[in-house]
Amino acid sequence: MDIALLSMLSITAIAAIRLRDLFAVTMLFGIYSFLTAAFFLTLDAIDVAFTEAAVGAGVTTVLMLATLRLTGRYEQTPKHSPLIPILVVCITGAALVYGTLDAPTVGDPEAPSQTHVAPRYIQQSADEIGIPNMVTSVLASYRGYDTLGETFVIFCAGLAVIIILGLQDSGEIHPGRSAIGDQLVLRVVIKMLLPFILLFALYVQLHGDYGAGGGFQAGVIFASGFILYDLVFGEGDARLIIPPNWLRRMAALGVLLYAGVGVTTLIMGKNFLDYSALAESPTAGQHLGIFLVEIGVGITVFSVILTIFFAFSGRARIAVKTGRGGS
Amino acid sequence: MSHFPGLFNYWIVIFLMMAGFYVVISQGNLVKKIIGLSLFQASAFILYISEANVDGGHVPILEEGITLYSNPLPHVLILTAIVVSVSTTAVGLALIVRIKETYGTVEEDELQEIDNAQDEADTPDQKQQIAEEKEI
């Protein structure tokens, strides 16, 4: 099973290198992401598989297609000889393979990565945090600092895209006019699916303590619901539901909520992001803290992903209007 | 080769990583370069998740009667890294869109030519002229 998936990954990667049609390459990249997600599933990493399927196969592909619309579909044949790059790649690869010969085999329970901090998370998180999903307790509580940092990175990336592309629109929104034309089947299917997609996102957000899920996945799924709506129901229609101005504030609000929980615990006399200060018993405090922090993450991820999509799609409409952009 | 099945994952990871690396250093189209970087990134994700796996282990969600779980720490690192990767990829793509608008191309060779041509055109006389125009 593993070997089959990994071979398919390699074949997809080779095909992606050889093709000159960037649209096909983007589609292959989507397939590559889905295969990666399936592979993560066989390795017991359901939370990660979940995220990869939503992000890699969904959002990244849409963003790349939006870019291709602006920059043109075909790439030129390279003028340089591929010999030197191939040589460099082979030497680097050989050095890395040589490095793996000493590495512990996959699945070895005695490997250094399994014996350091992992036993504590596995054996004591039930008593210390009190929620079943270890990934969530490590993410939001043991490693809350890291996650706060990651949320800030996402926020900054959203800011950078707004600065580079701008959130302005051509001013004209055409309700019901979609770039892909009037697709009746798609419209009906999306109309039926959309409530369930949004409901599922909320479930993933709120159920992250007990099963696979959490703020990161929920934010991405919620955003992709809106992206789907915008793609099928018309250019800029999603902007009517959630104006870009709100999104910017919401992105900041999520980060503030996360950092605010940290500051609150400081004020209550415990360490930064030590949630046991928040309630009577430590585990109740952990529950509340993780809940709030995950909501902060979810809001930020949702608004940043949707902001990025709005920035790209708004740019495409301006390009079409003024005659700039790709063929 | 008693190691063979155990190290196979790593070798595929290295292969995918090198495939991404090759795209980045050999191909001229900037969008393709970003796709190469994403391939590279995804291979690093596979490396971490392979490392987290334990033989006979279980999904890291506590359940009664199960004591052997996969390592949750790499899962956390990669989960956040995936979402960060989409945001940073978006920043790269946004820059490419602006390059296309300014230069009219996203091929590295052509960009280099346009830049060189501009540098040659910028003789001291012209620079002075431009500076004077700005003052006015």
Side-chain angles (χ1 to χ4, degrees), chain B residues 59-95:
Chain B
V59 173
I61 295 174
L62 288 171
E63 237 177 274
E64 273 185 43
I66 292 173
T67 49
L68 193 59
Y69 295 99
S70 284
N71 188 348
L73 182 59
H75 293 187
V76 172
L77 299 178
I78 296 311
L79 196 159
T80 51
I82 289 173
V83 182
V84 169
S85 84
V86 67
S87 338
T88 47
T89 305
V91 177
L93 291 173
L95 285 171

PDB file of all heavy atoms in Angstrom, chain B residues 59-95:
ATOM      1  N   VAL B  59      -3.685   5.809  15.753  1.00  0.00           N
ATOM      2  CA  VAL B  59      -3.904   7.249  15.578  1.00  0.00           C
ATOM      3  C   VAL B  59      -3.826   7.943  16.941  1.00  0.00           C
ATOM      4  O   VAL B  59      -4.409   7.439  17.897  1.00  0.00           O
ATOM      5  CB  VAL B  59      -5.290   7.477  14.954  1.00  0.00           C
ATOM      6  CG1 VAL B  59      -5.636   8.939  14.902  1.00  0.00           C
ATOM      7  CG2 VAL B  59      -5.355   6.859  13.573  1.00  0.00           C
ATOM      8  N   PRO B  60      -3.099   9.072  17.075  1.00  0.00           N
ATOM      9  CA  PRO B  60      -2.907   9.646  18.410  1.00  0.00           C
ATOM     10  C   PRO B  60      -4.148  10.322  19.000  1.00  0.00           C
ATOM     11  O   PRO B  60      -4.153  11.515  19.288  1.00  0.00           O
ATOM     12  CB  PRO B  60      -1.772  10.644  18.209  1.00  0.00           C
ATOM     13  CG  PRO B  60      -1.791  10.964  16.769  1.00  0.00           C
ATOM     14  CD  PRO B  60      -2.319   9.776  16.061  1.00  0.00           C
ATOM     15  N   ILE B  61      -5.204   9.566  19.132  1.00  0.00           N
ATOM     16  CA  ILE B  61      -6.387  10.036  19.862  1.00  0.00           C
ATOM     17  C   ILE B  61      -6.654   8.981  20.935  1.00  0.00           C
ATOM     18  O   ILE B  61      -6.816   7.810  20.607  1.00  0.00           O
ATOM     19  CB  ILE B  61      -7.604  10.180  18.926  1.00  0.00           C
ATOM     20  CG1 ILE B  61      -7.325  11.278  17.898  1.00  0.00           C
ATOM     21  CG2 ILE B  61      -8.853  10.506  19.713  1.00  0.00           C
ATOM     22  CD1 ILE B  61      -8.372  11.419  16.835  1.00  0.00           C
ATOM     23  N   LEU B  62      -6.686   9.418  22.198  1.00  0.00           N
ATOM     24  CA  LEU B  62      -6.743   8.456  23.304  1.00  0.00           C
ATOM     25  C   LEU B  62      -7.980   7.585  23.224  1.00  0.00           C
ATOM     26  O   LEU B  62      -9.092   8.065  22.990  1.00  0.00           O
ATOM     27  CB  LEU B  62      -6.744   9.198  24.638  1.00  0.00           C
ATOM     28  CG  LEU B  62      -5.424   9.839  25.052  1.00  0.00           C
ATOM     29  CD1 LEU B  62      -5.645  10.701  26.270  1.00  0.00           C
ATOM     30  CD2 LEU B  62      -4.368   8.795  25.314  1.00  0.00           C
ATOM     31  N   GLU B  63      -7.757   6.294  23.418  1.00  0.00           N
ATOM     32  CA  GLU B  63      -8.875   5.369  23.426  1.00  0.00           C
ATOM     33  C   GLU B  63      -8.567   4.320  24.469  1.00  0.00           C
ATOM     34  O   GLU B  63      -7.401   3.980  24.679  1.00  0.00           O
ATOM     35  CB  GLU B  63      -8.994   4.705  22.051  1.00  0.00           C
ATOM     36  CG  GLU B  63     -10.340   4.905  21.399  1.00  0.00           C
ATOM     37  CD  GLU B  63     -10.350   4.291  20.015  1.00  0.00           C
ATOM     38  OE1 GLU B  63      -9.939   4.976  19.066  1.00  0.00           O
ATOM     39  OE2 GLU B  63     -10.742   3.126  19.911  1.00  0.00           O
ATOM     40  N   GLU B  64      -9.574   3.807  25.110  1.00  0.00           N
ATOM     41  CA  GLU B  64      -9.315   2.815  26.154  1.00  0.00           C
ATOM     42  C   GLU B  64      -8.766   1.530  25.551  1.00  0.00           C
ATOM     43  O   GLU B  64      -9.177   1.098  24.488  1.00  0.00           O
ATOM     44  CB  GLU B  64     -10.611   2.523  26.913  1.00  0.00           C
ATOM     45  CG  GLU B  64     -10.797   3.507  28.045  1.00  0.00           C
ATOM     46  CD  GLU B  64     -12.006   3.158  28.878  1.00  0.00           C
ATOM     47  OE1 GLU B  64     -12.194   1.966  29.166  1.00  0.00           O
ATOM     48  OE2 GLU B  64     -12.748   4.095  29.221  1.00  0.00           O
ATOM     49  N   GLY B  65      -7.803   0.939  26.248  1.00  0.00           N
ATOM     50  CA  GLY B  65      -7.274  -0.340  25.810  1.00  0.00           C
ATOM     51  C   GLY B  65      -6.140  -0.246  24.810  1.00  0.00           C
ATOM     52  O   GLY B  65      -5.599  -1.259  24.413  1.00  0.00           O
ATOM     53  N   ILE B  66      -5.815   0.975  24.404  1.00  0.00           N
ATOM     54  CA  ILE B  66      -4.716   1.119  23.441  1.00  0.00           C
ATOM     55  C   ILE B  66      -3.589   1.886  24.121  1.00  0.00           C
ATOM     56  O   ILE B  66      -3.812   2.926  24.752  1.00  0.00           O
ATOM     57  CB  ILE B  66      -5.195   1.854  22.185  1.00  0.00           C
ATOM     58  CG1 ILE B  66      -6.184   0.959  21.449  1.00  0.00           C
ATOM     59  CG2 ILE B  66      -4.016   2.190  21.284  1.00  0.00           C
ATOM     60  CD1 ILE B  66      -6.857   1.630  20.300  1.00  0.00           C
ATOM     61  N   THR B  67      -2.375   1.343  24.039  1.00  0.00           N
ATOM     62  CA  THR B  67      -1.258   2.027  24.690  1.00  0.00           C
ATOM     63  C   THR B  67      -0.219   2.502  23.691  1.00  0.00           C
ATOM     64  O   THR B  67       0.589   3.355  24.013  1.00  0.00           O
ATOM     65  CB  THR B  67      -0.561   1.094  25.695  1.00  0.00           C
ATOM     66  OG1 THR B  67      -0.311  -0.145  25.040  1.00  0.00           O
ATOM     67  CG2 THR B  67      -1.421   0.879  26.917  1.00  0.00           C
ATOM     68  N   LEU B  68      -0.236   1.941  22.470  1.00  0.00           N
ATOM     69  CA  LEU B  68       0.808   2.290  21.510  1.00  0.00           C
ATOM     70  C   LEU B  68       0.254   3.283  20.484  1.00  0.00           C
ATOM     71  O   LEU B  68      -0.640   2.955  19.713  1.00  0.00           O
ATOM     72  CB  LEU B  68       1.299   1.016  20.806  1.00  0.00           C
ATOM     73  CG  LEU B  68       2.589   1.174  19.999  1.00  0.00           C
ATOM     74  CD1 LEU B  68       3.716   1.631  20.895  1.00  0.00           C
ATOM     75  CD2 LEU B  68       2.938  -0.122  19.313  1.00  0.00           C
ATOM     76  N   TYR B  69       0.769   4.507  20.537  1.00  0.00           N
ATOM     77  CA  TYR B  69       0.286   5.543  19.623  1.00  0.00           C
ATOM     78  C   TYR B  69       1.440   6.057  18.772  1.00  0.00           C
ATOM     79  O   TYR B  69       2.599   5.981  19.179  1.00  0.00           O
ATOM     80  CB  TYR B  69      -0.287   6.721  20.405  1.00  0.00           C
ATOM     81  CG  TYR B  69      -1.508   6.394  21.202  1.00  0.00           C
ATOM     82  CD1 TYR B  69      -1.416   6.139  22.548  1.00  0.00           C
ATOM     83  CD2 TYR B  69      -2.753   6.345  20.588  1.00  0.00           C
ATOM     84  CE1 TYR B  69      -2.536   5.837  23.295  1.00  0.00           C
ATOM     85  CE2 TYR B  69      -3.879   6.044  21.329  1.00  0.00           C
ATOM     86  CZ  TYR B  69      -3.772   5.800  22.670  1.00  0.00           C
ATOM     87  OH  TYR B  69      -4.879   5.505  23.397  1.00  0.00           O
ATOM     88  N   SER B  70       1.084   6.616  17.599  1.00  0.00           N
ATOM     89  CA  SER B  70       2.100   7.323  16.819  1.00  0.00           C
ATOM     90  C   SER B  70       2.451   8.617  17.544  1.00  0.00           C
ATOM     91  O   SER B  70       1.688   9.113  18.371  1.00  0.00           O
ATOM     92  CB  SER B  70       1.577   7.623  15.425  1.00  0.00           C
ATOM     93  OG  SER B  70       1.602   6.468  14.639  1.00  0.00           O
ATOM     94  N   ASN B  71       3.613   9.150  17.192  1.00  0.00           N
ATOM     95  CA  ASN B  71       4.122  10.344  17.857  1.00  0.00           C
ATOM     96  C   ASN B  71       3.322  11.580  17.433  1.00  0.00           C
ATOM     97  O   ASN B  71       3.319  11.937  16.257  1.00  0.00           O
ATOM     98  CB  ASN B  71       5.590  10.492  17.464  1.00  0.00           C
ATOM     99  CG  ASN B  71       6.297  11.574  18.243  1.00  0.00           C
ATOM    100  OD1 ASN B  71       5.662  12.354  18.916  1.00  0.00           O
ATOM    101  ND2 ASN B  71       7.601  11.593  18.135  1.00  0.00           N
ATOM    102  N   PRO B  72       2.617  12.257  18.366  1.00  0.00           N
ATOM    103  CA  PRO B  72       1.777  13.382  17.947  1.00  0.00           C
ATOM    104  C   PRO B  72       2.560  14.651  17.594  1.00  0.00           C
ATOM    105  O   PRO B  72       2.054  15.515  16.890  1.00  0.00           O
ATOM    106  CB  PRO B  72       0.879  13.634  19.155  1.00  0.00           C
ATOM    107  CG  PRO B  72       1.622  13.084  20.309  1.00  0.00           C
ATOM    108  CD  PRO B  72       2.476  11.974  19.809  1.00  0.00           C
ATOM    109  N   LEU B  73       3.804  14.757  18.069  1.00  0.00           N
ATOM    110  CA  LEU B  73       4.526  16.029  17.893  1.00  0.00           C
ATOM    111  C   LEU B  73       4.787  16.376  16.422  1.00  0.00           C
ATOM    112  O   LEU B  73       4.449  17.492  16.001  1.00  0.00           O
ATOM    113  CB  LEU B  73       5.820  15.989  18.708  1.00  0.00           C
ATOM    114  CG  LEU B  73       6.650  17.262  18.673  1.00  0.00           C
ATOM    115  CD1 LEU B  73       5.843  18.439  19.184  1.00  0.00           C
ATOM    116  CD2 LEU B  73       7.895  17.098  19.515  1.00  0.00           C
ATOM    117  N   PRO B  74       5.353  15.457  15.605  1.00  0.00           N
ATOM    118  CA  PRO B  74       5.528  15.813  14.195  1.00  0.00           C
ATOM    119  C   PRO B  74       4.208  16.133  13.510  1.00  0.00           C
ATOM    120  O   PRO B  74       4.161  16.999  12.632  1.00  0.00           O
ATOM    121  CB  PRO B  74       6.171  14.564  13.583  1.00  0.00           C
ATOM    122  CG  PRO B  74       6.796  13.861  14.714  1.00  0.00           C
ATOM    123  CD  PRO B  74       5.935  14.132  15.893  1.00  0.00           C
ATOM    124  N   HIS B  75       3.132  15.474  13.931  1.00  0.00           N
ATOM    125  CA  HIS B  75       1.828  15.772  13.330  1.00  0.00           C
ATOM    126  C   HIS B  75       1.476  17.237  13.533  1.00  0.00           C
ATOM    127  O   HIS B  75       1.016  17.916  12.615  1.00  0.00           O
ATOM    128  CB  HIS B  75       0.738  14.898  13.964  1.00  0.00           C
ATOM    129  CG  HIS B  75       0.889  13.438  13.661  1.00  0.00           C
ATOM    130  ND1 HIS B  75      -0.049  12.512  14.012  1.00  0.00           N
ATOM    131  CD2 HIS B  75       1.858  12.755  13.052  1.00  0.00           C
ATOM    132  CE1 HIS B  75       0.341  11.307  13.622  1.00  0.00           C
ATOM    133  NE2 HIS B  75       1.503  11.439  13.047  1.00  0.00           N
ATOM    134  N   VAL B  76       1.703  17.722  14.768  1.00  0.00           N
ATOM    135  CA  VAL B  76       1.377  19.120  15.069  1.00  0.00           C
ATOM    136  C   VAL B  76       2.223  20.049  14.213  1.00  0.00           C
ATOM    137  O   VAL B  76       1.719  21.005  13.605  1.00  0.00           O
ATOM    138  CB  VAL B  76       1.623  19.405  16.559  1.00  0.00           C
ATOM    139  CG1 VAL B  76       1.487  20.879  16.850  1.00  0.00           C
ATOM    140  CG2 VAL B  76       0.667  18.610  17.406  1.00  0.00           C
ATOM    141  N   LEU B  77       3.535  19.746  14.145  1.00  0.00           N
ATOM    142  CA  LEU B  77       4.429  20.629  13.396  1.00  0.00           C
ATOM    143  C   LEU B  77       3.997  20.721  11.936  1.00  0.00           C
ATOM    144  O   LEU B  77       3.961  21.806  11.344  1.00  0.00           O
ATOM    145  CB  LEU B  77       5.868  20.107  13.477  1.00  0.00           C
ATOM    146  CG  LEU B  77       6.479  20.028  14.870  1.00  0.00           C
ATOM    147  CD1 LEU B  77       7.876  19.460  14.796  1.00  0.00           C
ATOM    148  CD2 LEU B  77       6.520  21.399  15.510  1.00  0.00           C
ATOM    149  N   ILE B  78       3.637  19.577  11.355  1.00  0.00           N
ATOM    150  CA  ILE B  78       3.334  19.565   9.927  1.00  0.00           C
ATOM    151  C   ILE B  78       1.952  20.146   9.663  1.00  0.00           C
ATOM    152  O   ILE B  78       1.735  20.847   8.675  1.00  0.00           O
ATOM    153  CB  ILE B  78       3.455  18.138   9.366  1.00  0.00           C
ATOM    154  CG1 ILE B  78       4.903  17.688   9.488  1.00  0.00           C
ATOM    155  CG2 ILE B  78       3.023  18.067   7.926  1.00  0.00           C
ATOM    156  CD1 ILE B  78       5.911  18.668   8.981  1.00  0.00           C
ATOM    157  N   LEU B  79       1.012  19.894  10.580  1.00  0.00           N
ATOM    158  CA  LEU B  79      -0.333  20.454  10.425  1.00  0.00           C
ATOM    159  C   LEU B  79      -0.266  21.979  10.280  1.00  0.00           C
ATOM    160  O   LEU B  79      -0.834  22.558   9.361  1.00  0.00           O
ATOM    161  CB  LEU B  79      -1.135  20.074  11.673  1.00  0.00           C
ATOM    162  CG  LEU B  79      -2.639  20.171  11.675  1.00  0.00           C
ATOM    163  CD1 LEU B  79      -3.150  19.291  12.774  1.00  0.00           C
ATOM    164  CD2 LEU B  79      -3.112  21.563  11.890  1.00  0.00           C
ATOM    165  N   THR B  80       0.485  22.620  11.196  1.00  0.00           N
ATOM    166  CA  THR B  80       0.579  24.075  11.096  1.00  0.00           C
ATOM    167  C   THR B  80       1.408  24.464   9.877  1.00  0.00           C
ATOM    168  O   THR B  80       1.100  25.434   9.205  1.00  0.00           O
ATOM    169  CB  THR B  80       1.187  24.669  12.368  1.00  0.00           C
ATOM    170  OG1 THR B  80       2.394  23.968  12.661  1.00  0.00           O
ATOM    171  CG2 THR B  80       0.270  24.537  13.538  1.00  0.00           C
ATOM    172  N   ALA B  81       2.451  23.666   9.565  1.00  0.00           N
ATOM    173  CA  ALA B  81       3.306  24.013   8.430  1.00  0.00           C
ATOM    174  C   ALA B  81       2.522  24.007   7.127  1.00  0.00           C
ATOM    175  O   ALA B  81       2.772  24.835   6.248  1.00  0.00           O
ATOM    176  CB  ALA B  81       4.475  23.041   8.342  1.00  0.00           C
ATOM    177  N   ILE B  82       1.548  23.103   6.992  1.00  0.00           N
ATOM    178  CA  ILE B  82       0.777  23.040   5.747  1.00  0.00           C
ATOM    179  C   ILE B  82       0.003  24.336   5.546  1.00  0.00           C
ATOM    180  O   ILE B  82      -0.003  24.924   4.463  1.00  0.00           O
ATOM    181  CB  ILE B  82      -0.179  21.832   5.763  1.00  0.00           C
ATOM    182  CG1 ILE B  82       0.614  20.534   5.644  1.00  0.00           C
ATOM    183  CG2 ILE B  82      -1.169  21.920   4.625  1.00  0.00           C
ATOM    184  CD1 ILE B  82      -0.220  19.286   5.821  1.00  0.00           C
ATOM    185  N   VAL B  83      -0.635  24.812   6.624  1.00  0.00           N
ATOM    186  CA  VAL B  83      -1.444  26.026   6.487  1.00  0.00           C
ATOM    187  C   VAL B  83      -0.529  27.239   6.265  1.00  0.00           C
ATOM    188  O   VAL B  83      -0.838  28.133   5.478  1.00  0.00           O
ATOM    189  CB  VAL B  83      -2.358  26.218   7.707  1.00  0.00           C
ATOM    190  CG1 VAL B  83      -3.215  27.442   7.540  1.00  0.00           C
ATOM    191  CG2 VAL B  83      -3.237  25.009   7.891  1.00  0.00           C
ATOM    192  N   VAL B  84       0.634  27.241   6.940  1.00  0.00           N
ATOM    193  CA  VAL B  84       1.577  28.336   6.698  1.00  0.00           C
ATOM    194  C   VAL B  84       2.056  28.276   5.256  1.00  0.00           C
ATOM    195  O   VAL B  84       2.202  29.315   4.595  1.00  0.00           O
ATOM    196  CB  VAL B  84       2.759  28.254   7.683  1.00  0.00           C
ATOM    197  CG1 VAL B  84       3.857  29.202   7.278  1.00  0.00           C
ATOM    198  CG2 VAL B  84       2.300  28.576   9.085  1.00  0.00           C
ATOM    199  N   SER B  85       2.268  27.048   4.728  1.00  0.00           N
ATOM    200  CA  SER B  85       2.807  26.941   3.372  1.00  0.00           C
ATOM    201  C   SER B  85       1.845  27.533   2.349  1.00  0.00           C
ATOM    202  O   SER B  85       2.291  28.179   1.398  1.00  0.00           O
ATOM    203  CB  SER B  85       3.115  25.490   3.032  1.00  0.00           C
ATOM    204  OG  SER B  85       1.968  24.823   2.581  1.00  0.00           O
ATOM    205  N   VAL B  86       0.538  27.360   2.557  1.00  0.00           N
ATOM    206  CA  VAL B  86      -0.387  27.931   1.558  1.00  0.00           C
ATOM    207  C   VAL B  86      -0.332  29.456   1.609  1.00  0.00           C
ATOM    208  O   VAL B  86      -0.348  30.123   0.573  1.00  0.00           O
ATOM    209  CB  VAL B  86      -1.827  27.402   1.711  1.00  0.00           C
ATOM    210  CG1 VAL B  86      -2.477  27.846   2.966  1.00  0.00           C
ATOM    211  CG2 VAL B  86      -2.673  27.845   0.546  1.00  0.00           C
ATOM    212  N   SER B  87      -0.190  30.031   2.812  1.00  0.00           N
ATOM    213  CA  SER B  87      -0.133  31.503   2.883  1.00  0.00           C
ATOM    214  C   SER B  87       1.144  32.028   2.244  1.00  0.00           C
ATOM    215  O   SER B  87       1.120  33.026   1.532  1.00  0.00           O
ATOM    216  CB  SER B  87      -0.228  31.992   4.323  1.00  0.00           C
ATOM    217  OG  SER B  87      -0.804  31.052   5.146  1.00  0.00           O
ATOM    218  N   THR B  88       2.279  31.352   2.494  1.00  0.00           N
ATOM    219  CA  THR B  88       3.523  31.854   1.923  1.00  0.00           C
ATOM    220  C   THR B  88       3.553  31.644   0.410  1.00  0.00           C
ATOM    221  O   THR B  88       4.040  32.502  -0.324  1.00  0.00           O
ATOM    222  CB  THR B  88       4.737  31.179   2.577  1.00  0.00           C
ATOM    223  OG1 THR B  88       4.505  29.783   2.622  1.00  0.00           O
ATOM    224  CG2 THR B  88       4.958  31.682   3.971  1.00  0.00           C
ATOM    225  N   THR B  89       2.979  30.517  -0.069  1.00  0.00           N
ATOM    226  CA  THR B  89       2.883  30.316  -1.513  1.00  0.00           C
ATOM    227  C   THR B  89       2.081  31.447  -2.141  1.00  0.00           C
ATOM    228  O   THR B  89       2.435  31.946  -3.209  1.00  0.00           O
ATOM    229  CB  THR B  89       2.198  28.969  -1.815  1.00  0.00           C
ATOM    230  OG1 THR B  89       2.910  27.948  -1.135  1.00  0.00           O
ATOM    231  CG2 THR B  89       2.190  28.675  -3.294  1.00  0.00           C
ATOM    232  N   ALA B  90       1.015  31.852  -1.446  1.00  0.00           N
ATOM    233  CA  ALA B  90       0.183  32.936  -1.973  1.00  0.00           C
ATOM    234  C   ALA B  90       0.992  34.216  -2.105  1.00  0.00           C
ATOM    235  O   ALA B  90       0.840  34.953  -3.085  1.00  0.00           O
ATOM    236  CB  ALA B  90      -1.023  33.159  -1.079  1.00  0.00           C
ATOM    237  N   VAL B  91       1.869  34.494  -1.140  1.00  0.00           N
ATOM    238  CA  VAL B  91       2.695  35.701  -1.232  1.00  0.00           C
ATOM    239  C   VAL B  91       3.592  35.614  -2.468  1.00  0.00           C
ATOM    240  O   VAL B  91       3.710  36.572  -3.235  1.00  0.00           O
ATOM    241  CB  VAL B  91       3.548  35.881   0.045  1.00  0.00           C
ATOM    242  CG1 VAL B  91       4.454  37.079  -0.095  1.00  0.00           C
ATOM    243  CG2 VAL B  91       2.665  36.047   1.250  1.00  0.00           C
ATOM    244  N   GLY B  92       4.196  34.421  -2.694  1.00  0.00           N
ATOM    245  CA  GLY B  92       5.041  34.241  -3.877  1.00  0.00           C
ATOM    246  C   GLY B  92       4.258  34.454  -5.160  1.00  0.00           C
ATOM    247  O   GLY B  92       4.704  35.171  -6.067  1.00  0.00           O
ATOM    248  N   LEU B  93       3.060  33.872  -5.236  1.00  0.00           N
ATOM    249  CA  LEU B  93       2.246  34.007  -6.443  1.00  0.00           C
ATOM    250  C   LEU B  93       1.844  35.468  -6.653  1.00  0.00           C
ATOM    251  O   LEU B  93       1.807  35.955  -7.786  1.00  0.00           O
ATOM    252  CB  LEU B  93       1.011  33.111  -6.338  1.00  0.00           C
ATOM    253  CG  LEU B  93       1.282  31.604  -6.395  1.00  0.00           C
ATOM    254  CD1 LEU B  93       0.009  30.828  -6.120  1.00  0.00           C
ATOM    255  CD2 LEU B  93       1.847  31.210  -7.741  1.00  0.00           C
ATOM    256  N   ALA B  94       1.559  36.179  -5.536  1.00  0.00           N
ATOM    257  CA  ALA B  94       1.176  37.590  -5.654  1.00  0.00           C
ATOM    258  C   ALA B  94       2.321  38.385  -6.259  1.00  0.00           C
ATOM    259  O   ALA B  94       2.119  39.238  -7.135  1.00  0.00           O
ATOM    260  CB  ALA B  94       0.803  38.146  -4.282  1.00  0.00           C
ATOM    261  N   LEU B  95       3.557  38.093  -5.822  1.00  0.00           N
ATOM    262  CA  LEU B  95       4.710  38.791  -6.389  1.00  0.00           C
ATOM    263  C   LEU B  95       4.827  38.508  -7.884  1.00  0.00           C
ATOM    264  O   LEU B  95       5.118  39.400  -8.684  1.00  0.00           O
ATOM    265  CB  LEU B  95       5.991  38.345  -5.678  1.00  0.00           C
ATOM    266  CG  LEU B  95       6.188  38.913  -4.275  1.00  0.00           C
ATOM    267  CD1 LEU B  95       7.358  38.230  -3.587  1.00  0.00           C
ATOM    268  CD2 LEU B  95       6.429  40.403  -4.342  1.00  0.00           C
TER     269      LEU B  95
END
